[in-house]
Amino acid sequence: MDRLVKPDLEELKLCFIRGQKSCATFKLTNLMHTMSVVISLSTTKPSVFSFSHPFTIIPPLSTASFTLFLTNSCDQPPLSTPLDTVMVKSSMLPTGKASLDDLQRLFSRTGRHIFKDAKIPIFLVGPQVVEFLLSSKTLLDVSLFLPKAISLCGGCQLDSFLRCAAKNGNSHCISALIKAGSDVNRRDSDGDSVMSLAVKSGNLDCVQVLIESGYTIDNSADWFLHDASAMNRMDLMEILCLGYADIDLNSIDSQGRTPLHIAAIHGHVEVIQFLVSVGSDPDMKDSQGWTPLHFAAHQGHVEAVVFLENHSNFAKYAVTKQGNTAYELATDKGHYRLYDLLQLGDTLHRAARKGDVADIKKCIAEGANVNGRDQNGWTPLHRAAFKGKIEGVKVLVKHGAKLDLVDDYGHTPLYLAIEAGQKEVAMYLIAQGAKANLKSFKAKGVFSCDLDYFKNHH
């Protein structure tokens, strides 16, 4: 015979309540047909769990109830590993009667007369245990305790705990709560979702678990990409875009801003590049008429401005509801490094085309790049040379204009001057050291008489 009694359960669940001596009840049945059995109950930690009566006599084939108590009331559940257990020992008692001293002596001796009938693990359960586990900073194995602790929790409680787990970035807790019946698609009174909390926590595993568990995205309410943009988390964006083929890259928040607007505000260049590469619109305006370029310029984010300017169609010239261009926002904040990018470069090109020496000098003094290029690769010197504005050419060269920069078609300012018949400009450029590749000019169809003229005077 292996044992004399049989417990009615394999594990003991004790509902923990702060400040109370919580308890749990179980039963033991005497398996002997003709003989009484005496029971000795103990726990691995008597200072934590105890019984009011350590010895009990059970008549043949009878059942008795036993109550386990928390030894002391406490504010936090006394969880520990390995698990605390109830140890059930028994011995046959032919007379069916014995004094307490007799029973103590009986179990104080080791031998074949003592049966070790069961070891019953003790689990603390209930909402207060779950709260402790979700907020605990200890090294407890939450995956061991949580599935048992939530067994006494209802649907609304589970959903509340799921939000807490998502906020804390605990993917193991999220999985256990969903398995127990928590609804991944339930929103709070403000319409916020558990996925929003997971994204804000920055935990990739949490986000992946919710995707795999069937979270359904609502593009009108879920601004996950906005949150990821603010945090500069391109990895979160990638997992969201892979998980939701229908995610709206141009969804707008309460202020009409897209994720690209948010990234531009913070100057997160890699995020900006990613969003544009997957389809975000750099020309979208928010409720105040601001494009992402406006925000980048206002904040002085040079790299962001460069990228957005190169990938937008009209944002550089767009005007906010307050009547400001990106350039004007940059100048208001004194971001001088952006002046050339946003407008001075254009102004300098116009001045060079007109040969307006005063405006050329003014633009350069304010920070315009004397070698800045337009959409065709022309520098201000290309424009002045092509138009034959000799005084403008001289000012540009004096202020550092490079003589031999080529445009998108491989043409230098000298080439354009010769092609346009601007002999005075061409002579000046050659005199300043511009390379006169006569063979190249002939191949391009420039008049031979012009070439001879320049060659003879070089």
Side-chain angles (χ1 to χ4, degrees), residues 149-165:
I150 61 181
S151 60
L152 294 185
C153 299
C156 291
Q157 288 177 322
L158 291 174
D159 292 341
S160 176
F161 292 142
L162 181 63
R163 296 182 65 80
C164 182

Side-chain angles (χ1 to χ4, degrees), residues 434-452:
K435 295 177 182 178
N437 189 338
L438 302 184
K439 182 178 180 180
S440 174
F441 291 144
K442 288 179 180 179
K444 293 294 184 179
V446 178
F447 295 118
S448 58
C449 60
D450 292 331
L451 292 174
D452 293 337

Side-chain angles (χ1 to χ4, degrees), residues 3 5-13 25-28 41-44 49 51 66 68 83-88 117-123:
R3 59 183 177 176
V5 297
K6 179 182 179 181
D8 66 335
L9 42 72
E10 294 182 354
E11 57 190 28
L12 191 57
K13 295 180 179 179
T25 301
F26 64 100
K27 295 178 180 180
L28 293 173
L41 297 176
S42 62
T43 63
T44 47
F49 300 102
F51 294 91
F66 302 87
L68 174 73
L83 288 172
D84 296 317
T85 59
V86 172
M87 293 171 289
V88 181
D117 290 282
K119 285 187 176 181
I120 306 173
I122 304 169
F123 288 98

Side-chain angles (χ1 to χ4, degrees), residues 16 55 57 77 115 127 136-137 162 168 178 218 312 317 319 323-324 338 381-382 416 418 446:
F16 173 82
F55 303 108
I57 298 173
F115 288 77
S136 176
K137 302 300 182 182
L162 181 63
N168 293 340
I178 293 173
D218 180 353
S312 62
Y317 309 103
V319 178
N324 296 318
L338 299 179
L381 187 58
H382 280 87
L416 294 178
I418 295 174
V446 178

